Amino acid sequence: IGPGGHSTLERHEHEHAVMILNGRGACLVGNEVRAVAQHDLIAIPPRTWHQFRASEGGRLGFLCMVNVERDRPYLPDAQDLEALRRDPVVAAFIRP
């Protein structure tokens, strides 16, 4: 992810883990926003909204680890976005 950029806001039926390979940034997992940096491992439960953002000063590289049997991501619809934006911390973080 380029400086200040972000991944897709999405969720899946499967659980997965994300290993930060390089850079710094932040991630949303559910209703929690946390800082991430190289070698962090983030667990993402099934059906949990998540998104990654790179810091303004650099790129963020990561590896998503999933089971070979996995589903396609679900993107938020207008109703999902409305619900997510009820939490001011989440609303300030997400980029649809």
Side-chain angles (χ1 to χ4, degrees):
I1 300 174
H6 59 86
S7 67
T8 305
L9 174 61
E10 61 189 33
R11 66 181 176 181
H12 313 270
E13 291 297 320
H14 63 269
E15 66 181 333
H16 63 288
V18 176
M19 168 69 81
I20 305 299
L21 299 177
N22 56 60
R24 293 184 173 278
C27 70
L28 168 73
V29 178
N31 62 355
E32 183 181 347
V33 175
R34 33 181 133 150
V36 295
Q38 187 174 17
H39 300 139
D40 284 350
L41 181 62
I42 299 94
I44 302 174
R47 297 174 297 282
T48 303
W49 292 111
H50 56 282
Q51 185 171 49
F52 290 82
R53 285 178 45 192
S55 65
E56 291 295 330
R59 298 182 176 277
L60 181 65
F62 56 86
L63 177 66
C64 291
M65 294 169 278
V66 298
N67 189 323
V68 69
E69 301 290 329
R70 60 172 286 203
D71 62 298
R72 295 276 184 215
Y74 294 92
L75 303 179
D77 61 19
Q79 210 171 13
D80 295 323
L81 288 171
E82 183 181 330
L84 285 163
R85 289 182 175 135
R86 288 185 191 126
D87 182 324
V89 172
V90 174
F93 182 83
I94 60 173
R95 304 289 186 266

